[in-house]
Amino acid sequence: MKALLLLISGMAYAQVDRVVVLKVDGLPEDLLAHSVSERAEGARLGRSRLPWIEYVFQQNGVWMENFYVRGLSLSSPSWSLLDTGRHLEVRGNSEFDRYTLRVYDYMNFFPFYVGYARNRRADMPGVDLLDQNHVPLLADRFAPDERYQSFQLYQRGVRWETLPSSLTNTFRGGPKELFDEWTNGIDLGNLLNAQSESELIGKLKDTHVRYLDYYTGEYDHTAHLIKDAAVQLHVLEHLDALVGRVWSAIEASPFASTTVLVLVSDHGMNTSEEVYSQGYNLIDWFGRPEGGAHHVLTNRYPMTEFKLKGLNPFVSHVTTPSAQSFYLAGQANDYPTAAMDLDGNERASISLRNNSLNVIHILLDQLAHKKLTSRVRRAVIRALFTTLERVSPAWTREVSELKGELAELQGQIDLEKAAVKAESGGWTAELRMAKLTLEEKRRVDHLERMQTEEQGYSEYVAALSRLLALNADDLGEGKVKIAGLIPQRSLGDPNSIDDLQHYIVGPSEGGMAIAEDGSLDWERSFRRVDYFSALSQIQVRNHPQKDVSARPVDFIAVPWGHSVWLWRSPERQALIEARTGAAGELELHYTPVANLHQDPSGQLHYDPAVWAAGFPLELWE
C-alpha cells in the first residue's frame, strides 16, 4: 500500500486549512511510477504519460515510496488502516461471528442503502464496527458540515441527491439520448464518479468545507478483469486528468496555499501481461471427503456456474452443501460446519466448527438414528458423557459469562427502546422518515443490532445449557432430539492446534468400534483429517505457468495465544511471538521450528530448526 502526498504550500510546517484525499482502489505504486516515467510519442513527444501526476506529486510534492501499513491485501482491512491510522479491527472483506454465524459483510453496500432509506441504517458496516470499538475515521476529525465524502466502503450517511443528479446532468439531450444509452448499457459507476467529482470541485469553493475525499474503483475493476497494458494505461490517464482538474480547482479555491492533496491506494495487484492470476476452489475441496465433507458457509454464491441468484446483492449467507457429508446429509442450512470469505488476494480465511461439538453431534446421531446393539449403545453413551465431562468446565464458565453479558445487554436494549419510543412514539411512518436525523438513525441501527445479538447468543446459550444438563434418561431410544442440543448455525469455540491436527469429520466407514474392555475405540470409530498436512498436499493437475507453484497453499497460519504458528511442511514451520517493548511498541520474534504439535493438555512441543530457505514468509530468501 503506497501513497503520494502533496503540500501545496512550499513550507514544510505551513498552516493546513483543508485536506483533499483521492482514493484509488487497487492501484500498484510501481505501475504508477513506471507510467509516470514513460515518455509519450506523437503530439505529446517527450511528455510523461501521466503529466499531471508527475507535475503535482513528483515535481512539486512528496512521493512516498516506502509508505506501507501492516495489513492484508484486501480492500476492507486496507482502507480501515488508511482511514484510521489504527491497528486492524476489520480483518477481512467479510467476517463471521463463530457463535451465531452473523456475517459482517463490509463490501456489500446494497443492504446499507436500502436500510438507510428505511431509517434502519446510518453508516456502512465497517464504520459501525469501528464505532463500536471507538476508532474514529480521519473524516471524523471534522464536523459533519465541514466535510464532503464520496461513495466508499467507510461511508457515513448517503447523499441521495448524487444519484438523480448524475442521471439528470448526463442525459440533458432528452429521452432519446437516455434510450440510446440504455440500449448500450448505462455505466452507473462512471455516472456516479462524474457527479461526485463535480460535487467535490463545487465544495472546494466553500470556505466552510475543510475535508473532502473522492473514491474510485475504476482501476481495480479493470485490472481484475484484464491485464492489457494499453487498457490499464487508459484508466491511469483518466486518473491523471482527474488529478489535473482537482489541482486546478484547488488553485482557484480560497485555500490554494493551505490545502493538502493526497493520492492514496489500498493495495496493488498483479498487472503483468505475462502472468495471470490462478485461483483454487477451496469450497469444493472442503466439501469433498478429503477436505472433511463440510457444508460450507460463505457470504455470497460461489462463481461455479452462471446463475442469476449469484447476482443477488442482498444475500450475505450462502451454504454450499456437501453431497458426501458423513453425518449431516440434508442439514446444510441448520448445520454448516465451515465458514470462509470468498475475497482473498492470495489468502483465504477459514473457520471450522469446534471439534468437540462434532464428536458430540456424531455420537448423538448414532443414538438417534442408528440401530445399535446394547453393547455398542452403552459404549457410545459412555463416550458421549466422557466428552461432555472434558468440555464441561470451559463450557459451563462460558455459559455463565454469556448469561451475565446477555442480562446487561437486555438492560441496554430496554433503555434504548424507551429512548427511541420517547423520541418518535407519536410519529406517523411518513413523519418519521422526514424527521429522523443521521444520529437518530444510528440509534435505531444500534438498537436493532443489539436485539439481533441478544437473540443469536440467547439461542446459543440455551442449546449449550441443555447439552450440559443432558443425563442418561434423555438418551433412551426414540428420545434423542439433536436439534435442541447442538446449537444450530454456530461453530462454537475456536479449535486448538491439536484439534486441527486430529479433526473428526464423521464416523468411520465401519461405524462405531468397540475396544476389548467394552469402551468405544476412538481410533477406529471416527474419520479424521490433519488439516495442515491435507491442505499442504493439495496439488493442481493443470499447471500452465512454470513460475507459479502447482501447490496452491503456500503456508497455513493459526493463532495460538499471542503468537501465530506458520506451517509449510513438517520440517519448515515457524512461531511468530509478540510482545510489547519498553517504549510500548509492538515487537515480533520469528523462530524457525519443525514437527510442532500440541498435546491434549494444550502444551506445544517442537524441535528447534536451523535457519534455511523454504520457511514460511521466506525471510531467509
Side-chain angles (χ1 to χ4, degrees), residues 111-112 114-123 128 432-433 436 441-442 444-446 448-449:
F112 161 60
V114 172
Y116 186 90
R118 296 179 57 244
N119 286 318
R120 289 294 185 270
R121 294 291 181 269
D123 306 301
D128 279 341
R432 179 184 180 81
M433 289 285 286
L436 277 185
K441 286 183 180 181
R442 288 193 179 102
V444 172
D445 185 15
H446 181 57
E448 291 195 350
R449 280 191 281 107

Side-chain angles (χ1 to χ4, degrees), residues 332-524:
N333 288 329
D334 290 333
Y335 292 109
T337 52
M340 66 179 72
D341 69 67
L342 291 178
D343 289 310
N345 297 345
E346 301 180 345
R347 84 90 173 88
S349 178
I350 301 163
S351 302
L352 301 179
R353 188 167 74 160
N354 180 269
N355 198 34
S356 295
L357 273 179
N358 289 348
V359 173
I360 293 168
H361 200 152
I362 292 166
L363 295 175
L364 286 172
D365 182 67
Q366 292 288 316
L367 296 173
H369 301 118
K370 306 299 180 185
K371 294 186 179 298
L372 305 177
T373 66
S374 58
R375 184 167 181 257
V376 172
R377 190 174 187 84
R378 285 195 302 271
V380 169
I381 291 174
R382 194 181 314 156
L384 173 63
F385 283 111
T386 298
T387 304
L388 285 171
E389 287 170 9
R390 177 173 54 80
V391 299
S392 180
W395 287 6
T396 300
R397 183 170 58 252
E398 180 177 279
V399 165
S400 176
E401 291 172 354
L402 284 174
K403 284 182 176 179
E405 292 175 12
L406 285 169
E408 184 178 339
L409 179 59
Q410 186 59 57
Q412 294 175 8
I413 289 172
D414 293 340
L415 290 173
E416 198 68 19
K417 285 171 70 174
V420 170
K421 184 177 180 181
E423 286 176 355
S424 58
W427 293 353
T428 64
E430 293 77 11
L431 189 61
R432 179 184 180 81
M433 289 285 286
K435 279 185 171 290
L436 277 185
T437 66
L438 193 60
E439 198 55 45
E440 287 165 341
K441 286 183 180 181
R442 288 193 179 102
R443 294 192 67 173
V444 172
D445 185 15
H446 181 57
L447 173 59
E448 291 195 350
R449 280 191 281 107
M450 288 195 297
Q451 291 173 320
T452 300
E453 197 93 336
E454 193 277 336
Q455 179 181 352
Y457 272 90
S458 292
E459 291 172 358
Y460 173 76
V461 166
L464 208 59
S465 297
R466 288 191 291 269
L467 187 59
L468 291 169
L470 196 67
N471 60 59
D473 293 337
D474 301 321
L475 300 177
E477 290 192 37
K479 288 186 175 183
V480 179
K481 305 295 182 185
I482 296 176
L485 298 172
I486 302 295
Q488 294 186 352
R489 298 190 66 80
S490 175
L491 301 183
D493 288 339
N495 290 292
S496 66
I497 290 174
D498 180 58
D499 285 328
L500 296 174
Q501 289 176 322
H502 307 88
Y503 194 82
I504 291 178
V505 297
S508 66
E509 189 173 357
M512 300 292 101
I514 306 302
E516 290 184 3
D517 62 359
S519 65
L520 193 70
D521 187 320
W522 289 82
E523 290 301 318
R524 293 191 296 131

Side-chain angles (χ1 to χ4, degrees), residues 204-231:
L204 286 172
K205 301 173 185 176
D206 186 345
T207 57
H208 192 67
V209 178
R210 301 303 181 98
Y211 173 87
L212 305 95
D213 67 27
Y214 172 92
Y215 171 90
T216 172
E218 183 183 7
Y219 178 82
D220 185 82
H221 296 158
T222 300
H224 274 303
L225 295 173
I226 188 168
K227 297 293 185 291
D228 185 82
V231 174

Side-chain angles (χ1 to χ4, degrees), residues 145-179:
D145 60 347
E146 292 181 333
R147 61 194 186 217
Y148 170 86
Q149 194 179 29
S150 69
F151 293 92
Q152 56 193 282
L153 295 183
Y154 290 89
Q155 177 182 332
R156 291 197 183 278
V158 179
R159 293 187 329 281
W160 289 121
E161 63 274 13
T162 299
L163 181 56
S165 296
S166 67
L167 295 172
T168 302
N169 294 335
T170 301
F171 304 114
R172 296 184 182 275
K176 182 181 183 303
E177 182 183 350
L178 176 58
F179 179 77

